[in-house]
Amino acid sequence: MIEGMGDFAAEMAADRELVERLRGVHSRIAVLQAEETTLMTRLYERRRAQQIDLGVGLLYAGESTATEIGVALKMSQRSADNLINIGLDLKHRYPTTAEAFAAGRIDLAHVRAVRETLTNVSEDLLTELEPKIAAYAENADPQKVRRTVRRWLTEADPEGQAKRRKEAEADRYVSVEAADNGTATLGGTLPAAGGRTLYERLREMACTQVCSEDPRTQNQRRADALVALADGTGRLTCQCGRADCPRAAFDAVAPVARKALVQVGVSAETLAGLQDNPALLAGFGAIDADLARQIARHARFEIITAPDTATSAPTTTTATTITTTAATAAGAATTAAAAATTTATAAAAATAAAATAPGASASGASAAGTDCLVEAEKGSSVNELTYRPSARVASRVRALDGICRAPGCQVPAADTDLDHQDRFDHDNPGNGGPTSEQNLGARCRRHHRLKTLADNHRNGWKVDHLPDREVQWTTPTGDSVTTTPEGTPFLFPSVPVPPVTAAGVPDAETISPFIDPGPVINGLMEMMHVYCTPAQRKAFWRSRPNRV
């Protein structure tokens, strides 16, 4: 017995030591986070001062610092921007929080919580509450910090909190970002009542617009309901597949969904089902071949020839079906790619690839269409002397580049400027850089400014175009990174991926919960959550005689 107690005590001591070591490591990480944030902020302040001295406007001076940090640390520009803003606030608004952060008593997550809740708080109230909040944060998790600080602010300054709420509502937004495996993550900020209204509406649609045999989970139905609100149908369609479905009459009169613009880059062989190389969904990244073919079913295609044959095989825009494209691709000898357009009835716009045998018209283009291509090619040298690129050149550049060509930037090429590498001479176009595919690159507005300032020697950067559309970016301190066009490997894959199966990829099976009371009970519970307030639900459960 005594020996067993000794072993137990030793185990407890070892556990305590392990927890203490973990606490110490976490504190040291927080100290390093604080130092990193301080160094980033210091670099920003130096770059801002230097660029202001060189004549850069106050609004944009120093904004290239986040890109420079991204190159140096291999991190995203957004993360660097966020840390710089945190560092500026710690330095100028939250001194007690900054001290606790530097000492390792709170970590970066706590700092974010304090900063987010104290944004737009008046200086007088900030001076009064910030030390108290920083001390509280040392012994509470970040979410509790947010909830408690909001209560303190409302108690100390109810009028000001109402004003801050209205200011926060003015900053409302919705964002869609790429997630794993061809999915997207929806985020944003809504007014509190609006957020609850949206969720309750989605839950009501999920519960009442399909029958009890619908195979989807409640989570899947709510997600589909949000898409239904966006595409104009406003309702879910039951997927039970039964002829006697009680929702069939409603489904039959459901509005036709509006079609959205989606741009996809995919090789011809993949589009035809001969290969399964990944495709590029603009703004999201790689998607699997099966999803690309689904998107392409109702698309219009614009053929983009390979870069090395651009001068001899100009672009064709067609409205052929995927069957026509696939049939052409099956007998292909040379690869071409396509950047898509859209129409009011198109389900998607795809950057699709096509392949043409020598001398054949692309994707069913007629002989008259070929004559038009010759005429377009004859005028290409004239178009290079105008500032704005032709539609053909613009679509090719955006299709090949895929995204902004600056390091770490993920802005889709469709949303970027087409920037001249060698500057265009407006007074004498023949002496400047031409408006050609080789001299144009996709750059978001922010990195367009960075490159323009670099050309004017106002930010210390150097931007060089290399062969094969590579761009070398050199920071003021000499760090260098070379970016390659993202779209090209998807449009013209060098390594073929064999198709999975002729039948395609089967749909995933829905995983049932460990304890499933059945569709009827599940439906009733969901409806109760929709139509009954929390107080009513609590009163109901309290009234049950055999409650647990």
Side-chain angles (χ1 to χ4, degrees):
M1 179 69 71
I2 296 177
E3 181 179 353
M5 289 296 292
D7 292 341
F8 177 76
E11 289 289 334
M12 289 293 293
D15 291 345
R16 284 194 295 269
E17 180 185 0
L18 187 60
V19 171
E20 287 301 320
R21 288 178 60 189
L22 180 61
R23 187 179 289 118
V25 168
H26 189 78
S27 178
R28 291 196 296 274
I29 291 174
V31 171
L32 293 175
Q33 288 175 329
E35 183 178 3
E36 181 182 49
T37 303
T38 300
L39 292 174
M40 288 184 182
T41 306
R42 190 179 302 167
L43 180 62
Y44 167 80
E45 292 174 330
R46 288 177 61 85
R47 292 287 182 256
R48 180 173 173 80
Q50 293 165 359
Q51 292 176 20
I52 289 175
D53 289 342
L54 292 172
V56 180
L58 295 177
L59 183 62
Y60 301 119
E63 72 171 355
S64 61
T65 310
T67 307
E68 181 178 354
I69 291 172
V71 172
L73 304 184
K74 307 300 183 291
M75 68 186 303
S76 72
Q77 177 180 275
R78 178 179 295 183
S79 297
D81 268 329
N82 186 262
L83 290 173
I84 290 171
N85 289 329
I86 288 175
L88 291 171
D89 280 346
L90 288 173
K91 181 176 181 179
H92 299 291
R93 283 178 57 84
Y94 313 126
T96 309
T97 304
E99 180 184 351
F101 188 28
R105 298 195 299 272
I106 61 175
D107 61 14
L108 183 58
H110 288 87
V111 172
R112 294 183 193 274
V114 172
R115 177 174 176 265
E116 290 168 5
T117 50
L118 292 180
T119 299
N120 298 325
V121 172
S122 66
E123 293 298 328
D124 291 341
L125 187 58
L126 187 65
T127 302
E128 175 187 346
L129 289 181
E130 194 255 342
K132 176 183 177 182
I133 293 170
Y136 178 80
E138 295 183 20
N139 298 295
D141 64 83
Q143 188 58 34
K144 190 173 183 180
V145 169
R146 288 184 176 88
R147 297 175 68 89
T148 302
V149 171
R150 282 197 293 265
R151 175 169 59 83
W152 287 350
L153 290 174
T154 304
E155 292 172 349
D157 183 20
E159 181 179 354
Q161 184 64 6
K163 179 181 178 181
R164 288 187 290 276
R165 171 183 55 77
K166 292 180 179 180
E167 291 173 344
E169 290 175 351
D171 293 332
R172 59 192 179 273
Y173 73 95
V174 173
S175 64
V176 180
E177 298 180 356
D180 295 331
N181 301 321
T183 60
T185 299
L186 179 69
T189 297
L190 300 175
R196 290 307 306 174
T197 299
L198 175 61
Y199 184 77
E200 295 299 335
R201 175 58 177 156
L202 298 179
R203 188 160 59 180
E204 180 180 355
M205 292 172 66
C207 293
T208 62
Q209 294 186 351
V210 296
C211 78
S212 60
E213 298 298 323
D214 186 281
R216 292 169 290 183
T217 66
Q218 290 295 332
N219 283 337
Q220 291 170 339
R221 292 179 196 173
R222 285 192 289 267
D224 293 346
L226 183 59
V227 176
L229 291 178
D231 67 18
T233 59
R235 61 166 290 105
L236 291 175
T237 299
C238 189
Q239 296 183 2
C240 69
R242 297 184 301 163
D244 59 345
C245 174
R247 310 304 302 177
F250 299 95
D251 295 341
V253 296
V256 177
R258 291 194 298 263
K259 307 305 181 183
L261 171 63
V262 180
Q263 187 174 13
V264 175
V266 59
S267 72
E269 293 81 2
T270 297
L271 196 63
L274 306 177
Q275 296 177 5
D276 268 1
N277 288 86
L280 175 65
L281 178 59
F284 289 83
I287 59 174
D288 61 271
D290 184 62
L291 177 57
R293 287 189 284 265
Q294 289 182 40
I295 295 175
R297 286 173 184 168
H298 307 285
R300 290 182 59 190
F301 305 98
E302 180 180 357
I303 302 172
I304 305 295
T305 52
D308 58 346
T309 60
T311 57
S312 60
T315 303
T316 306
T317 302
T318 74
T320 56
T321 65
I322 185 171
T323 304
T324 303
T325 305
T328 306
T334 58
T335 301
T341 58
T342 187
T343 65
T345 59
T351 300
T356 57
S361 58
S363 291
S366 64
T370 306
D371 293 337
C372 294
L373 296 181
V374 174
E375 292 300 322
E377 184 62 20
K378 289 179 181 178
S380 61
S381 60
V382 177
N383 291 335
E384 292 181 358
L385 299 181
T386 62
Y387 180 67
R388 295 189 181 278
S390 65
R392 179 180 71 86
V393 171
S395 62
R396 283 186 56 81
V397 171
R398 290 196 165 100
L400 296 173
D401 284 352
I403 57 175
C404 172
R405 298 302 309 281
C409 187
Q410 300 299 317
V411 175
D415 299 331
T416 63
D417 300 334
L418 295 184
D419 184 24
H420 291 74
Q421 174 62 24
D422 295 329
R423 281 189 284 187
F424 184 85
D425 190 335
H426 291 273
D427 297 327
N428 190 349
N431 290 338
T435 303
S436 64
E437 175 188 330
Q438 293 73 23
N439 194 46
L440 292 175
R443 295 189 180 97
C444 70
R445 188 57 55 87
R446 177 174 186 164
H447 290 117
H448 191 165
R449 284 194 299 268
L450 187 156
K451 194 264 180 182
T452 301
L453 292 174
D455 290 343
N456 293 317
H457 309 291
R458 291 187 175 182
N459 62 4
W461 282 76
K462 185 181 179 184
V463 183
D464 297 307
H465 262 200
L466 305 176
D468 299 323
R469 300 195 62 78
E470 293 185 344
V471 184
Q472 185 179 48
W473 303 75
T474 306
T475 71
T477 53
D479 286 331
S480 178
V481 63
T482 300
T483 63
T484 58
E486 185 181 59
T488 304
F490 291 93
L491 296 172
F492 312 105
S494 57
V495 179
V497 177
V500 179
T501 61
V505 181
D507 293 334
E509 295 183 2
T510 301
I511 300 176
S512 302
F514 182 71
I515 299 178
D516 189 353
V520 175
I521 300 299
N522 283 334
L524 290 174
M525 291 296 293
E526 283 289 336
M527 290 183 66
M528 185 174 69
H529 277 270
V530 171
Y531 295 111
C532 300
T533 65
Q536 290 172 326
R537 294 197 296 269
K538 291 179 181 178
F540 169 75
W541 291 113
R542 282 196 298 267
S543 66
R544 297 187 65 190
N546 297 323
R547 66 183 184 274
V548 178

